[in-house]
Amino acid sequence: MSEITFKEWENFDFRVGQILEVNDHPKADKLYLLKVDLSEKQIQLVAGLKSFYKPKELLNQRVIVFANLEPAMIRGQKSEGMILCAEKDNIVSFLTPEREVPLGAKIR
Amino acid sequence: MSEITFKEWENFDFRVGQILEVNDHPKADKLYLLKVDLSEKQIQLVAGLKSFYKPKELLNQRVIVFANLEPAMIRGQKSEGMILCAEKDNIVSFLTPEREVPLGAKIR
């Protein structure tokens, strides 16, 4: 992959958020509708995590949110960001801060 | 901050890595020289984590590496990426996968 400059990276807004609600997407079997608290605001996300996590495994967890991703409508539901996950060999894990950091903390 | 398209995001290469070595930067009090295993390759990073982590707190940890950041020379040492950390109110934490995922796993 081509290299990215530090200046380009600075345009990205990744934040520590907390999952407040986990609901089934009404029109897609593999998707959740999540409500996530970013401290400054709460957002709704559509996340393809249903095959990998039960709702109770996500609820209240601290996650990393790509907060200035262009919003999209996914099967009729607004998605205002993305939860960063690691994936290899069909194993999927969300990312989390190793220490307790305040909600809304910026990723640098 | 302005919005980022999903297509722009796809140019970024973030990987799960493991810290193999932690050494003092020979010319900078607050910097470590880290050796990180990304599975496909091992890289050297300069990281400003010395005020926040002891070497033993970093050694062998799984971290998230910005792997295609433009390499830089930092005080005479090559830095081939960046370890993603959350920061707020002077609390700093590296990010880690919540589950065991294979080394080199890509962040999506």
Side-chain angles (χ1 to χ4, degrees):
Chain A
M1 296 179 81
S2 61
E3 287 170 1
I4 309 281
T5 65
F6 192 76
K7 197 170 172 63
E8 287 174 271
W9 158 247
E10 288 183 310
N11 293 326
F12 281 68
D13 193 26
F14 293 169
R15 299 279 176 164
V16 175
Q18 184 167 28
I19 298 176
L20 298 181
E21 284 182 24
V22 182
N23 292 297
D24 292 339
H25 188 299
K27 291 187 183 168
D29 283 350
K30 294 185 176 175
L31 303 179
Y32 284 130
L33 281 184
L34 306 178
K35 194 169 158 190
V36 178
D37 186 3
L38 296 177
S39 178
E40 285 175 18
K41 59 178 176 177
Q42 295 184 0
I43 60 172
Q44 173 174 286
L45 294 176
V46 176
L49 290 173
K50 213 163 168 177
S51 311
F52 307 104
Y53 283 100
K54 295 179 184 138
K56 67 176 180 185
E57 294 175 313
L58 293 173
L59 203 60
N60 296 321
Q61 296 285 349
R62 298 266 167 143
V63 293
I64 310 306
V65 177
F66 182 0
N68 69 335
L69 176 64
E70 191 176 44
M73 292 297 287
I74 300 178
R75 301 274 193 108
Q77 293 288 337
K78 196 173 185 185
S79 188
E80 304 173 278
M82 194 175 86
I83 289 181
L84 297 192
C85 290
E87 183 188 1
K88 193 175 181 181
D89 305 338
N90 209 37
I91 298 169
V92 170
S93 171
F94 64 80
L95 309 181
T96 197
E98 179 262 340
R99 285 176 172 165
E100 187 83 7
V101 289
L103 221 56
K106 193 166 164 62
I107 311 308
R108 298 172 192 277
Chain B
M1 298 178 79
S2 60
E3 288 169 2
I4 309 281
T5 65
F6 192 77
K7 198 170 171 59
E8 287 174 271
W9 157 247
E10 288 182 310
N11 294 327
F12 281 67
D13 194 25
F14 293 170
R15 300 278 177 165
V16 175
Q18 184 167 28
I19 298 176
L20 298 181
E21 284 182 23
V22 182
N23 293 296
D24 291 340
H25 188 299
K27 291 187 182 167
D29 283 350
K30 294 185 177 176
L31 302 179
Y32 284 130
L33 280 185
L34 306 179
K35 194 170 160 191
V36 179
D37 186 2
L38 297 177
S39 176
E40 285 174 20
K41 60 179 177 177
Q42 295 183 1
I43 60 172
Q44 173 174 286
L45 293 177
V46 175
L49 290 174
K50 212 163 169 178
S51 310
F52 307 102
Y53 283 100
K54 297 180 180 133
K56 66 175 181 185
E57 294 174 313
L58 292 173
L59 202 60
N60 297 320
Q61 296 285 350
R62 298 267 167 139
V63 293
I64 310 305
V65 177
F66 182 178
N68 69 334
L69 177 64
E70 192 175 45
M73 292 298 285
I74 300 178
R75 302 275 193 106
Q77 294 288 337
K78 196 173 185 185
S79 189
E80 305 173 276
M82 195 175 86
I83 290 180
L84 298 191
C85 290
E87 184 189 359
K88 193 173 180 180
D89 305 337
N90 209 35
I91 298 170
V92 170
S93 170
F94 64 80
L95 309 182
T96 197
E98 177 261 342
R99 286 178 173 163
E100 186 83 6
V101 288
L103 222 56
K106 192 166 166 60
I107 311 306
R108 299 172 191 275

